[in-house]
Amino acid sequence: MKKLILITLFFVSLNSFGQFEMYGKNIKYTNYFNQESIKDYWKNSNQEFDDLEGIYEPLGSLDKSVLGYRLAIIKVDDYFEIIMLGQPYGSRDVNKGGVKATAKKMPAKGVYNLRWRMANARNIEKGFIIKENSIITTNFSRYPLVNDVKYIKSFEPISSTPKTNTKKPIGWAGNGSGIIISQSGHIITNHHVIEDAEKIEVEFMLDDELQKFNAEVVQVDKTNDLAVLKIFDMNFDGVSEPPYNFKFRGSDVGTKVYAFGYPMALSIMGKEIKVTDGMISSKSGFDGNITTYQITAPIQGGNSGGPLFDEQANLIGINSSGIRKDIADNVAYSIKTSYVSNLLDVLPKSIELPSSTRLKSLPLTEQIKEISKYVVLSKG
């Protein structure tokens, strides 16, 4: 399985002292001079190295590239410095051995916030870097002709300090639910379902058979407790077009709703999908939270991340939490799909959301049977 890491780039301008103003502090250019001095730095560094660190060589033709440099990426404190080790063409830029950019990890797994200075020493450009195994692909939003310029890692530092075995015991800490929203395997769930998970596995019915696949986090919204997963597994070839509709507009109080999920699937309730019914009892949730509906459909632990549908097979919410029965009966909350849409808008690559109405005229039992094929049990 190929592991995909998306690195988002943002940039700032140089100040009058010739320094980058990044992450709330000024970082003076570091003079590493050459490749050998950087290797010596790593050799004498008594620490573990991040997967991003190393020396990268440009691949293929560079005649259309604004990034035609040999690069070194080094971790410094809680951020990374991108060092320019040489340029293959004549242009004004920072001296060889100078810091070309900096990067910093974002909360989402595998995502970095990176700032890059262009050749005229003033313009700061934004774009993306996609890291797949030892290959980095650059993509700039304002420079369509320099998209897909690739680098390969030619040197990787090896730590002299043995790594501590931090693997958890075999088994899953818990489970949640999710809903597939694209043919390529994008899944919506709750952030709290996948938070701190070292590995994520999803299982669902595909081709009339229960199948399991590895998945990874591609985007999160901690504030609204949402996350986007994607199946990255060599055995996964995609799914059929989801047969339901993604509803953007809000639903009214009194709307009949159905909550899908896998409550307590790893303990007492088993792995068969569960569907409960109820209605929207309020357009706002706990303490007046406008991002959620209050619903009467019962949900339990493990329902988190599962979808909420109405009678017309419209996806209208993502189930997130409930109030204990000893405090209040039949009170649960579901995050409105309009906030899911906001999260999907910031994905590096847009996806086509489900818009089918073919289930609308079918009996409820048939709707549930078809929708259930796209509801996943997530384990982490």
Side-chain angles (χ1 to χ4, degrees), residues 227-352:
V228 182
L229 311 180
K230 190 175 188 305
I231 299 174
F232 287 110
D233 197 304
M234 61 185 301
N235 297 315
F236 179 70
D237 294 323
V239 297
S240 300
E241 182 180 356
Y244 56 85
N245 179 54
F246 190 105
K247 185 179 179 183
F248 293 91
R249 299 187 63 181
S251 298
D252 291 327
V253 172
T255 298
K256 186 78 171 177
V257 294
Y258 302 89
F260 292 69
Y262 295 89
M264 306 181 205
L266 302 184
S267 54
I268 63 174
M269 295 187 71
K271 290 187 178 182
E272 184 179 352
I273 193 171
K274 310 297 189 297
V275 182
T276 57
D277 67 329
M279 71 174 185
I280 295 177
S281 54
S282 174
K283 284 187 170 184
S284 60
F286 183 78
D287 198 26
N289 182 2
I290 64 171
T291 68
T292 61
Y293 296 115
Q294 181 177 312
I295 61 175
T296 61
I299 63 173
Q300 293 85 32
N303 270 116
S304 293
L308 186 73
F309 281 88
D310 65 13
E311 288 184 299
Q312 309 300 315
N314 294 312
L315 175 63
I316 64 172
I318 300 296
N319 304 317
S320 59
S321 60
I323 293 182
R324 296 199 324 262
K325 291 185 178 296
D326 60 339
I327 298 176
D329 284 335
N330 295 334
V331 177
Y333 302 108
S334 188
I335 303 165
K336 300 173 183 177
T337 46
S338 58
Y339 293 91
V340 178
S341 177
N342 292 339
L343 176 59
L344 296 175
D345 282 344
V346 300
L347 289 178
K349 186 176 181 180
S350 62
I351 60 175
E352 185 175 350

Side-chain angles (χ1 to χ4, degrees), residues 16-125:
S16 59
F17 296 98
Q19 299 171 334
F20 276 122
E21 200 172 274
M22 306 179 185
Y23 312 124
K25 54 186 176 181
N26 292 331
I27 303 170
K28 189 174 182 179
Y29 291 136
T30 307
N31 291 319
Y32 290 104
F33 298 113
N34 57 47
Q35 185 169 276
E36 294 307 314
S37 63
I38 293 178
K39 290 182 178 180
D40 288 340
Y41 165 79
W42 279 321
K43 183 178 180 181
N44 296 320
S45 180
N46 186 26
Q47 63 182 24
E48 294 183 8
F49 299 110
D50 191 274
D51 181 60
L52 189 64
E53 291 186 87
I55 293 175
Y56 293 83
E57 304 281 343
L59 275 176
S61 174
L62 301 173
D63 56 355
K64 65 178 183 177
S65 174
V66 296
L67 297 179
Y69 312 108
R70 181 184 301 112
L71 302 174
I73 302 180
I74 295 178
K75 188 172 184 181
V76 181
D77 297 327
D78 62 343
Y79 65 95
F80 298 86
E81 288 187 345
I82 316 299
I83 314 299
M84 188 191 78
L85 295 180
Q87 52 190 16
Y89 59 86
S91 65
R92 291 181 57 190
D93 207 325
V94 295
N95 292 330
K96 182 176 178 180
V99 176
K100 184 68 177 174
T102 61
K104 191 177 178 77
K105 279 188 177 180
M106 296 178 69
K109 182 180 178 182
V111 178
Y112 299 79
N113 195 338
L114 187 145
R115 299 169 179 176
W116 192 285
R117 184 167 70 90
M118 300 305 292
N120 61 9
R122 287 187 299 276
N123 289 343
I124 303 300
E125 184 53 41

